[in-house]
Amino acid sequence: MNEYKLKEAYTEWLDKQSFDLFITLNTEAELTKEQMGKLMCKLFYKTECDVFGYSNREKYRNKLRIKRAVVIEGDEKRTHAHIQVKTLEGFTNEQMIELLKLEYMKLLNTKREKGFLFHATQIANRDAVSRYTLKKNKIDLRSSFISKHSNKQ
């Protein structure tokens, strides 16, 4: 499969996932793609533990998770992450954004809110967001979480 077809398949698959939010995360310090991936893992791990509790999250590893697709970009620009997130059941989009923002700021040990570190919007056009996210990059499978049953419609 050539690169164009692969990107089209990724885009189509992302569109079917029905993600609700598009988030861009930056850092003040320059990180490698690997370091940014580890930071994303830590962000979602800590958020899931806060929401579900550590013992429940560990006990139900495949159920009590935040569904997301993470793409880390950093070849030409400062390393940053684009994330598509499914809002948790019982949360509004605004509550989900605030939850992730607070956890991210705590993780970065940032006292003041700095707009360039965390930017989130509700997804209006899935196809456009998926194409933008995947423009030159691939999904970071280590920090993403996609249910095994996500292809079932």
Side-chain angles (χ1 to χ4, degrees):
M1 188 179 273
N2 70 29
E3 194 171 327
Y4 175 77
K5 286 183 180 178
L6 182 62
K7 200 162 287 209
E8 284 298 310
Y10 265 138
T11 301
E12 188 179 311
W13 179 83
L14 273 176
D15 291 348
K16 290 179 183 176
Q17 301 312 302
S18 302
F19 290 112
D20 301 305
L21 304 172
F22 178 61
I23 302 171
T24 301
L25 300 178
N26 289 289
T27 59
E28 291 181 285
E30 183 60 42
L31 300 178
T32 65
K33 284 185 176 185
E34 185 177 293
Q35 290 169 323
M36 190 65 160
K38 287 180 181 179
L39 184 65
M40 296 302 97
C41 289
K42 197 175 206 178
L43 168 65
F44 285 100
Y45 174 78
K46 288 185 171 288
T47 305
E48 289 164 354
C49 286
D50 284 352
V51 172
F52 304 119
Y54 173 78
S55 58
N56 282 335
R57 188 217 179 256
E58 293 303 309
K59 188 175 179 183
Y60 303 105
R61 293 191 82 128
N62 293 324
K63 298 237 185 247
L64 301 180
R65 301 292 296 273
I66 296 171
K67 186 176 169 187
R68 74 249 181 205
V70 178
V71 174
I72 298 171
E73 188 176 331
D75 295 333
E76 297 155 7
K77 301 179 194 173
R78 186 180 192 106
T79 305
H80 59 282
H82 295 295
I83 310 164
Q84 291 187 47
V85 178
K86 180 77 177 155
T87 299
L88 290 171
E89 199 171 307
F91 281 70
T92 65
N93 286 338
E94 292 77 19
Q95 289 170 325
M96 191 71 184
I97 289 170
E98 193 60 27
L99 172 69
L100 290 168
K101 185 177 195 173
L102 289 172
E103 196 64 54
Y104 189 61
M105 294 305 163
K106 191 172 19 171
L107 193 60
L108 294 180
N109 198 21
T110 302
K111 306 289 186 243
R112 292 185 342 218
E113 186 176 317
K114 297 176 182 168
F116 76 94
L117 294 176
F118 185 102
H119 182 263
T121 58
Q122 190 170 331
I123 295 175
N125 182 333
R126 290 185 206 293
D127 189 57
V129 168
S130 297
R131 287 183 190 288
Y132 176 76
T133 303
L134 294 167
K135 60 187 168 210
K136 293 182 183 173
N137 303 287
K138 297 180 183 87
I139 295 173
D140 181 44
L141 297 177
R142 176 192 237 173
S143 54
S144 296
F145 178 78
I146 298 140
S147 169
K148 286 190 230 176
H149 307 293
S150 61
N151 286 331
K152 294 182 180 176
Q153 297 295 325

